[in-house]
Amino acid sequence: MSKVVLLTGATGFVGRQVLNALEEYGAKVRVVIREGTQDQLSTRKAIETIVTTQDLFAEDEKWWKEACNGVDTIIHVAWYTEPGEYLQSNQNIDCLIGTLQLAKGAIQSNVRRFIGIGTCFEYELTQGILSIKTPLQPLTPYAGAKAAAFIALSQLLPQQEIEFAWCRLFYLYGEGEDPRRLVPYLRTQFTAGKPAELTSGNQVRDFLNVSEAGRMIVKTALSAEQGPVNICSSIPITVRQLAEQIADEYGCRNLLKFGVRPDNIIDPPCVVGIKHEISH
């Protein structure tokens, strides 16, 4: 690929996998990252340019116009995602404002295509099986800010003749995952021979390896697809079944302790996405 792709969040859980997929496609990548994180990307062959900033969400449209100069496609992955904090954090508003500044800069630089990253939490989750036509009903500041970004960008960018797609992520796991999340917790406990204390595990979820999510995002970016896209497996599985699969890798189902932790009464019983084939 001779065209330049600008990627934000390249050092994060999802962004690293997006960068991996861009390398597989032979893309030229310009990354925007926090100052001091350059060493994490020193061996990445796809990177043509590294743009650093103290806080990319604090930059204005003039800064982004310069950063986007010569860019064909933007894949905007960066967002505040501190586990245990991000769903209710005020920083979601900063991320929303910063995203709109990025979009304004992209318009001024005549970027051709903009890919944003959303979440399944934007949907009305009581529907259970979620398609891109499922109504939106965000219930947290995180989901609300993501939905607001989607609505604003889906109106703004096409008017400026910029193609826009919005990739809604479901339940991701895999390389680089925060140790406080479910799958790393299970593996840590099993490796140490300690019990894993869980809820009932009856929740039905749509789990997807983050490496596959990265490939799906890049496939979307390099396609002609526009509008919302579900980044999901479309395979319903209970948390219990997932935990049992991982326990079987270690031969220690006896360490699974279901029902020790109370179920979250506001946790939806079923969240499964419907994906569709991405056009080219």
mmCIF file of all heavy atoms in Angstrom, residues 232-267:
data_model
loop_
_atom_site.group_PDB
_atom_site.id
_atom_site.type_symbol
_atom_site.label_atom_id
_atom_site.label_comp_id
_atom_site.label_asym_id
_atom_site.label_seq_id
_atom_site.Cartn_x
_atom_site.Cartn_y
_atom_site.Cartn_z
ATOM 1 N N CYS A 232 -17.257 -8.746 16.139
ATOM 2 C CA CYS A 232 -17.732 -9.778 17.056
ATOM 3 C C CYS A 232 -17.532 -11.154 16.443
ATOM 4 O O CYS A 232 -17.188 -11.283 15.262
ATOM 5 C CB CYS A 232 -19.210 -9.554 17.370
ATOM 6 S SG CYS A 232 -20.289 -9.637 15.912
ATOM 7 N N SER A 233 -17.749 -12.189 17.245
ATOM 8 C CA SER A 233 -17.656 -13.562 16.751
ATOM 9 C C SER A 233 -19.005 -14.106 16.296
ATOM 10 O O SER A 233 -19.061 -15.046 15.503
ATOM 11 C CB SER A 233 -17.104 -14.471 17.855
ATOM 12 O OG SER A 233 -18.051 -14.599 18.910
ATOM 13 N N SER A 234 -20.096 -13.540 16.834
ATOM 14 C CA SER A 234 -21.464 -14.035 16.617
ATOM 15 C C SER A 234 -21.671 -15.428 17.206
ATOM 16 O O SER A 234 -22.620 -16.124 16.847
ATOM 17 C CB SER A 234 -21.841 -14.034 15.132
ATOM 18 O OG SER A 234 -21.871 -12.727 14.612
ATOM 19 N N ILE A 235 -20.776 -15.847 18.115
ATOM 20 C CA ILE A 235 -20.881 -17.161 18.748
ATOM 21 C C ILE A 235 -21.278 -16.978 20.216
ATOM 22 O O ILE A 235 -20.490 -16.471 21.016
ATOM 23 C CB ILE A 235 -19.553 -17.931 18.665
ATOM 24 C CG1 ILE A 235 -19.138 -18.130 17.206
ATOM 25 C CG2 ILE A 235 -19.657 -19.272 19.388
ATOM 26 C CD1 ILE A 235 -17.749 -18.693 17.038
ATOM 27 N N PRO A 236 -22.507 -17.366 20.595
ATOM 28 C CA PRO A 236 -22.913 -17.228 22.000
ATOM 29 C C PRO A 236 -22.230 -18.274 22.870
ATOM 30 O O PRO A 236 -22.200 -19.457 22.517
ATOM 31 C CB PRO A 236 -24.427 -17.435 21.954
ATOM 32 C CG PRO A 236 -24.663 -18.248 20.723
ATOM 33 C CD PRO A 236 -23.596 -17.884 19.743
ATOM 34 N N ILE A 237 -21.687 -17.840 23.992
ATOM 35 C CA ILE A 237 -21.040 -18.750 24.938
ATOM 36 C C ILE A 237 -21.220 -18.174 26.335
ATOM 37 O O ILE A 237 -21.161 -16.942 26.517
ATOM 38 C CB ILE A 237 -19.545 -18.938 24.603
ATOM 39 C CG1 ILE A 237 -18.871 -19.932 25.556
ATOM 40 C CG2 ILE A 237 -18.817 -17.620 24.584
ATOM 41 C CD1 ILE A 237 -17.434 -20.264 25.181
ATOM 42 N N THR A 238 -21.484 -19.021 27.307
ATOM 43 C CA THR A 238 -21.609 -18.506 28.673
ATOM 44 C C THR A 238 -20.228 -18.274 29.266
ATOM 45 O O THR A 238 -19.228 -18.887 28.849
ATOM 46 C CB THR A 238 -22.385 -19.476 29.585
ATOM 47 O OG1 THR A 238 -21.629 -20.677 29.732
ATOM 48 C CG2 THR A 238 -23.764 -19.769 29.029
ATOM 49 N N VAL A 239 -20.171 -17.387 30.246
ATOM 50 C CA VAL A 239 -18.922 -17.167 30.972
ATOM 51 C C VAL A 239 -18.442 -18.470 31.599
ATOM 52 O O VAL A 239 -17.243 -18.769 31.633
ATOM 53 C CB VAL A 239 -19.115 -16.069 32.032
ATOM 54 C CG1 VAL A 239 -17.896 -15.966 32.954
ATOM 55 C CG2 VAL A 239 -19.390 -14.726 31.358
ATOM 56 N N ARG A 240 -19.382 -19.278 32.068
ATOM 57 C CA ARG A 240 -19.035 -20.591 32.644
ATOM 58 C C ARG A 240 -18.337 -21.474 31.609
ATOM 59 O O ARG A 240 -17.307 -22.098 31.889
ATOM 60 C CB ARG A 240 -20.298 -21.285 33.165
ATOM 61 C CG ARG A 240 -20.045 -22.694 33.698
ATOM 62 C CD ARG A 240 -21.352 -23.359 34.110
ATOM 63 N NE ARG A 240 -21.867 -22.800 35.350
ATOM 64 C CZ ARG A 240 -21.625 -23.296 36.560
ATOM 65 N NH1 ARG A 240 -20.873 -24.384 36.703
ATOM 66 N NH2 ARG A 240 -22.142 -22.740 37.633
ATOM 67 N N GLN A 241 -18.894 -21.538 30.407
ATOM 68 C CA GLN A 241 -18.286 -22.368 29.364
ATOM 69 C C GLN A 241 -16.883 -21.879 29.006
ATOM 70 O O GLN A 241 -15.969 -22.696 28.818
ATOM 71 C CB GLN A 241 -19.172 -22.368 28.113
ATOM 72 C CG GLN A 241 -20.479 -23.128 28.277
ATOM 73 C CD GLN A 241 -21.401 -22.937 27.091
ATOM 74 O OE1 GLN A 241 -21.555 -21.822 26.580
ATOM 75 N NE2 GLN A 241 -22.029 -24.016 26.647
ATOM 76 N N LEU A 242 -16.711 -20.575 28.906
ATOM 77 C CA LEU A 242 -15.390 -20.029 28.609
ATOM 78 C C LEU A 242 -14.403 -20.390 29.714
ATOM 79 O O LEU A 242 -13.280 -20.836 29.433
ATOM 80 C CB LEU A 242 -15.457 -18.517 28.442
ATOM 81 C CG LEU A 242 -14.112 -17.832 28.192
ATOM 82 C CD1 LEU A 242 -13.558 -18.188 26.823
ATOM 83 C CD2 LEU A 242 -14.236 -16.303 28.331
ATOM 84 N N ALA A 243 -14.822 -20.210 30.959
ATOM 85 C CA ALA A 243 -13.948 -20.528 32.091
ATOM 86 C C ALA A 243 -13.586 -22.004 32.100
ATOM 87 O O ALA A 243 -12.436 -22.379 32.392
ATOM 88 C CB ALA A 243 -14.626 -20.127 33.396
ATOM 89 N N GLU A 244 -14.546 -22.872 31.768
ATOM 90 C CA GLU A 244 -14.282 -24.313 31.738
ATOM 91 C C GLU A 244 -13.298 -24.670 30.621
ATOM 92 O O GLU A 244 -12.422 -25.535 30.801
ATOM 93 C CB GLU A 244 -15.593 -25.071 31.576
ATOM 94 C CG GLU A 244 -16.464 -25.033 32.834
ATOM 95 C CD GLU A 244 -17.833 -25.637 32.626
ATOM 96 O OE1 GLU A 244 -18.252 -25.816 31.459
ATOM 97 O OE2 GLU A 244 -18.509 -25.926 33.635
ATOM 98 N N GLN A 245 -13.421 -24.003 29.479
ATOM 99 C CA GLN A 245 -12.488 -24.254 28.376
ATOM 100 C C GLN A 245 -11.059 -23.912 28.792
ATOM 101 O O GLN A 245 -10.118 -24.666 28.501
ATOM 102 C CB GLN A 245 -12.889 -23.436 27.148
ATOM 103 C CG GLN A 245 -14.133 -23.923 26.441
ATOM 104 C CD GLN A 245 -14.503 -23.043 25.261
ATOM 105 O OE1 GLN A 245 -13.760 -22.149 24.867
ATOM 106 N NE2 GLN A 245 -15.677 -23.283 24.690
ATOM 107 N N ILE A 246 -10.904 -22.762 29.459
ATOM 108 C CA ILE A 246 -9.569 -22.354 29.893
ATOM 109 C C ILE A 246 -9.060 -23.278 30.991
ATOM 110 O O ILE A 246 -7.889 -23.683 30.997
ATOM 111 C CB ILE A 246 -9.594 -20.884 30.357
ATOM 112 C CG1 ILE A 246 -9.940 -19.971 29.174
ATOM 113 C CG2 ILE A 246 -8.244 -20.479 30.973
ATOM 114 C CD1 ILE A 246 -10.211 -18.530 29.556
ATOM 115 N N ALA A 247 -9.942 -23.647 31.921
ATOM 116 C CA ALA A 247 -9.542 -24.570 32.994
ATOM 117 C C ALA A 247 -9.077 -25.904 32.431
ATOM 118 O O ALA A 247 -8.117 -26.511 32.943
ATOM 119 C CB ALA A 247 -10.703 -24.769 33.961
ATOM 120 N N ASP A 248 -9.720 -26.360 31.355
ATOM 121 C CA ASP A 248 -9.344 -27.639 30.759
ATOM 122 C C ASP A 248 -7.934 -27.598 30.164
ATOM 123 O O ASP A 248 -7.262 -28.634 30.088
ATOM 124 C CB ASP A 248 -10.355 -28.034 29.683
ATOM 125 C CG ASP A 248 -11.692 -28.481 30.266
ATOM 126 O OD1 ASP A 248 -11.742 -28.734 31.490
ATOM 127 O OD2 ASP A 248 -12.673 -28.552 29.504
ATOM 128 N N GLU A 249 -7.491 -26.402 29.739
ATOM 129 C CA GLU A 249 -6.120 -26.284 29.235
ATOM 130 C C GLU A 249 -5.109 -26.604 30.339
ATOM 131 O O GLU A 249 -3.998 -27.061 30.062
ATOM 132 C CB GLU A 249 -5.865 -24.866 28.714
ATOM 133 C CG GLU A 249 -6.674 -24.470 27.493
ATOM 134 C CD GLU A 249 -6.417 -23.033 27.093
ATOM 135 O OE1 GLU A 249 -5.328 -22.505 27.415
ATOM 136 O OE2 GLU A 249 -7.305 -22.419 26.463
ATOM 137 N N TYR A 250 -5.496 -26.345 31.573
ATOM 138 C CA TYR A 250 -4.612 -26.571 32.720
ATOM 139 C C TYR A 250 -4.968 -27.844 33.484
ATOM 140 O O TYR A 250 -4.280 -28.199 34.443
ATOM 141 C CB TYR A 250 -4.701 -25.369 33.682
ATOM 142 C CG TYR A 250 -4.220 -24.067 33.087
ATOM 143 C CD1 TYR A 250 -5.060 -23.292 32.270
ATOM 144 C CD2 TYR A 250 -2.943 -23.582 33.339
ATOM 145 C CE1 TYR A 250 -4.638 -22.089 31.722
ATOM 146 C CE2 TYR A 250 -2.498 -22.380 32.801
ATOM 147 C CZ TYR A 250 -3.358 -21.641 31.988
ATOM 148 O OH TYR A 250 -2.921 -20.447 31.453
ATOM 149 N N GLY A 251 -6.048 -28.495 33.062
ATOM 150 C CA GLY A 251 -6.496 -29.697 33.754
ATOM 151 C C GLY A 251 -6.937 -29.431 35.182
ATOM 152 O O GLY A 251 -6.660 -30.229 36.086
ATOM 153 N N CYS A 252 -7.641 -28.339 35.375
ATOM 154 C CA CYS A 252 -7.998 -27.982 36.761
ATOM 155 C C CYS A 252 -9.393 -27.381 36.879
ATOM 156 O O CYS A 252 -9.560 -26.299 37.440
ATOM 157 C CB CYS A 252 -6.953 -27.036 37.343
ATOM 158 S SG CYS A 252 -6.759 -25.499 36.419
ATOM 159 N N ARG A 253 -10.385 -28.063 36.373
ATOM 160 C CA ARG A 253 -11.767 -27.579 36.555
ATOM 161 C C ARG A 253 -12.133 -27.488 38.035
ATOM 162 O O ARG A 253 -13.023 -26.728 38.407
ATOM 163 C CB ARG A 253 -12.753 -28.498 35.848
ATOM 164 C CG ARG A 253 -12.934 -28.222 34.376
ATOM 165 C CD ARG A 253 -14.281 -28.705 33.906
ATOM 166 N NE ARG A 253 -14.398 -28.651 32.453
ATOM 167 C CZ ARG A 253 -15.552 -28.809 31.794
ATOM 168 N NH1 ARG A 253 -16.663 -29.035 32.467
ATOM 169 N NH2 ARG A 253 -15.580 -28.742 30.483
ATOM 170 N N ASN A 254 -11.446 -28.270 38.847
ATOM 171 C CA ASN A 254 -11.746 -28.256 40.280
ATOM 172 C C ASN A 254 -11.446 -26.915 40.925
ATOM 173 O O ASN A 254 -11.925 -26.613 42.032
ATOM 174 C CB ASN A 254 -10.944 -29.343 41.000
ATOM 175 C CG ASN A 254 -9.443 -29.139 40.851
ATOM 176 O OD1 ASN A 254 -8.927 -29.095 39.727
ATOM 177 N ND2 ASN A 254 -8.725 -29.048 41.961
ATOM 178 N N LEU A 255 -10.671 -26.063 40.258
ATOM 179 C CA LEU A 255 -10.325 -24.753 40.813
ATOM 180 C C LEU A 255 -11.369 -23.680 40.471
ATOM 181 O O LEU A 255 -11.267 -22.553 40.943
ATOM 182 C CB LEU A 255 -8.952 -24.304 40.300
ATOM 183 C CG LEU A 255 -7.753 -25.136 40.786
ATOM 184 C CD1 LEU A 255 -6.454 -24.601 40.182
ATOM 185 C CD2 LEU A 255 -7.674 -25.133 42.312
ATOM 186 N N LEU A 256 -12.353 -24.039 39.659
ATOM 187 C CA LEU A 256 -13.421 -23.099 39.321
ATOM 188 C C LEU A 256 -14.442 -23.052 40.444
ATOM 189 O O LEU A 256 -15.038 -24.073 40.791
ATOM 190 C CB LEU A 256 -14.101 -23.505 38.009
ATOM 191 C CG LEU A 256 -13.265 -23.349 36.734
ATOM 192 C CD1 LEU A 256 -13.969 -24.021 35.566
ATOM 193 C CD2 LEU A 256 -13.008 -21.875 36.431
ATOM 194 N N LYS A 257 -14.652 -21.869 40.991
ATOM 195 C CA LYS A 257 -15.595 -21.696 42.096
ATOM 196 C C LYS A 257 -16.703 -20.736 41.656
ATOM 197 O O LYS A 257 -16.614 -19.521 41.846
ATOM 198 C CB LYS A 257 -14.865 -21.162 43.338
ATOM 199 C CG LYS A 257 -13.664 -22.007 43.771
ATOM 200 C CD LYS A 257 -14.065 -23.450 44.125
ATOM 201 C CE LYS A 257 -12.852 -24.276 44.534
ATOM 202 N NZ LYS A 257 -13.198 -25.685 44.794
ATOM 203 N N PHE A 258 -17.736 -21.319 41.026
ATOM 204 C CA PHE A 258 -18.849 -20.497 40.553
ATOM 205 C C PHE A 258 -19.789 -20.148 41.699
ATOM 206 O O PHE A 258 -19.994 -20.937 42.616
ATOM 207 C CB PHE A 258 -19.618 -21.235 39.459
ATOM 208 C CG PHE A 258 -18.838 -21.445 38.193
ATOM 209 C CD1 PHE A 258 -18.346 -22.697 37.865
ATOM 210 C CD2 PHE A 258 -18.588 -20.385 37.339
ATOM 211 C CE1 PHE A 258 -17.622 -22.897 36.700
ATOM 212 C CE2 PHE A 258 -17.871 -20.562 36.170
ATOM 213 C CZ PHE A 258 -17.375 -21.818 35.854
ATOM 214 N N GLY A 259 -20.359 -18.939 41.622
ATOM 215 C CA GLY A 259 -21.321 -18.505 42.611
ATOM 216 C C GLY A 259 -20.711 -17.905 43.864
ATOM 217 O O GLY A 259 -21.441 -17.482 44.768
ATOM 218 N N VAL A 260 -19.379 -17.837 43.939
ATOM 219 C CA VAL A 260 -18.729 -17.225 45.099
ATOM 220 C C VAL A 260 -18.934 -15.716 45.076
ATOM 221 O O VAL A 260 -19.157 -15.085 46.107
ATOM 222 C CB VAL A 260 -17.223 -17.574 45.127
ATOM 223 C CG1 VAL A 260 -16.512 -16.838 46.264
ATOM 224 C CG2 VAL A 260 -17.037 -19.080 45.258
ATOM 225 N N ARG A 261 -18.868 -15.160 43.898
ATOM 226 C CA ARG A 261 -19.117 -13.723 43.747
ATOM 227 C C ARG A 261 -20.565 -13.521 43.295
ATOM 228 O O ARG A 261 -21.073 -14.290 42.464
ATOM 229 C CB ARG A 261 -18.151 -13.108 42.727
ATOM 230 C CG ARG A 261 -16.694 -13.190 43.151
ATOM 231 C CD ARG A 261 -15.803 -12.495 42.150
ATOM 232 N NE ARG A 261 -14.401 -12.583 42.512
ATOM 233 C CZ ARG A 261 -13.413 -12.010 41.837
ATOM 234 N NH1 ARG A 261 -13.679 -11.303 40.742
ATOM 235 N NH2 ARG A 261 -12.163 -12.143 42.237
ATOM 236 N N PRO A 262 -21.231 -12.499 43.789
ATOM 237 C CA PRO A 262 -22.628 -12.280 43.397
ATOM 238 C C PRO A 262 -22.738 -11.803 41.953
ATOM 239 O O PRO A 262 -21.864 -11.081 41.460
ATOM 240 C CB PRO A 262 -23.100 -11.190 44.369
ATOM 241 C CG PRO A 262 -21.847 -10.450 44.740
ATOM 242 C CD PRO A 262 -20.761 -11.480 44.766
ATOM 243 N N ASP A 263 -23.793 -12.221 41.283
ATOM 244 C CA ASP A 263 -24.065 -11.698 39.947
ATOM 245 C C ASP A 263 -24.426 -10.214 40.050
ATOM 246 O O ASP A 263 -25.050 -9.785 41.030
ATOM 247 C CB ASP A 263 -25.229 -12.451 39.304
ATOM 248 C CG ASP A 263 -24.842 -13.847 38.850
ATOM 249 O OD1 ASP A 263 -23.652 -14.189 38.934
ATOM 250 O OD2 ASP A 263 -25.740 -14.594 38.415
ATOM 251 N N ASN A 264 -24.033 -9.463 39.043
ATOM 252 C CA ASN A 264 -24.402 -8.057 38.956
ATOM 253 C C ASN A 264 -25.843 -7.979 38.459
ATOM 254 O O ASN A 264 -26.143 -8.404 37.333
ATOM 255 C CB ASN A 264 -23.449 -7.334 37.998
ATOM 256 C CG ASN A 264 -23.694 -5.839 37.946
ATOM 257 O OD1 ASN A 264 -24.747 -5.355 38.344
ATOM 258 N ND2 ASN A 264 -22.722 -5.098 37.457
ATOM 259 N N ILE A 265 -26.729 -7.446 39.277
ATOM 260 C CA ILE A 265 -28.164 -7.459 38.938
ATOM 261 C C ILE A 265 -28.477 -6.594 37.713
ATOM 262 O O ILE A 265 -29.530 -6.780 37.091
ATOM 263 C CB ILE A 265 -29.038 -7.017 40.129
ATOM 264 C CG1 ILE A 265 -28.675 -5.590 40.566
ATOM 265 C CG2 ILE A 265 -28.920 -7.999 41.284
ATOM 266 C CD1 ILE A 265 -29.624 -5.030 41.612
ATOM 267 N N ILE A 266 -27.599 -5.662 37.360
ATOM 268 C CA ILE A 266 -27.846 -4.834 36.175
ATOM 269 C C ILE A 266 -27.091 -5.366 34.960
ATOM 270 O O ILE A 266 -27.171 -4.787 33.881
ATOM 271 C CB ILE A 266 -27.483 -3.359 36.423
ATOM 272 C CG1 ILE A 266 -25.981 -3.198 36.682
ATOM 273 C CG2 ILE A 266 -28.295 -2.787 37.563
ATOM 274 C CD1 ILE A 266 -25.537 -1.732 36.696
ATOM 275 N N ASP A 267 -26.371 -6.465 35.129
ATOM 276 C CA ASP A 267 -25.616 -7.060 34.027
ATOM 277 C C ASP A 267 -26.588 -7.743 33.073
ATOM 278 O O ASP A 267 -27.376 -8.584 33.494
ATOM 279 C CB ASP A 267 -24.622 -8.082 34.594
ATOM 280 C CG ASP A 267 -23.381 -8.226 33.746
ATOM 281 O OD1 ASP A 267 -23.126 -7.321 32.940
ATOM 282 O OD2 ASP A 267 -22.679 -9.240 33.893
#
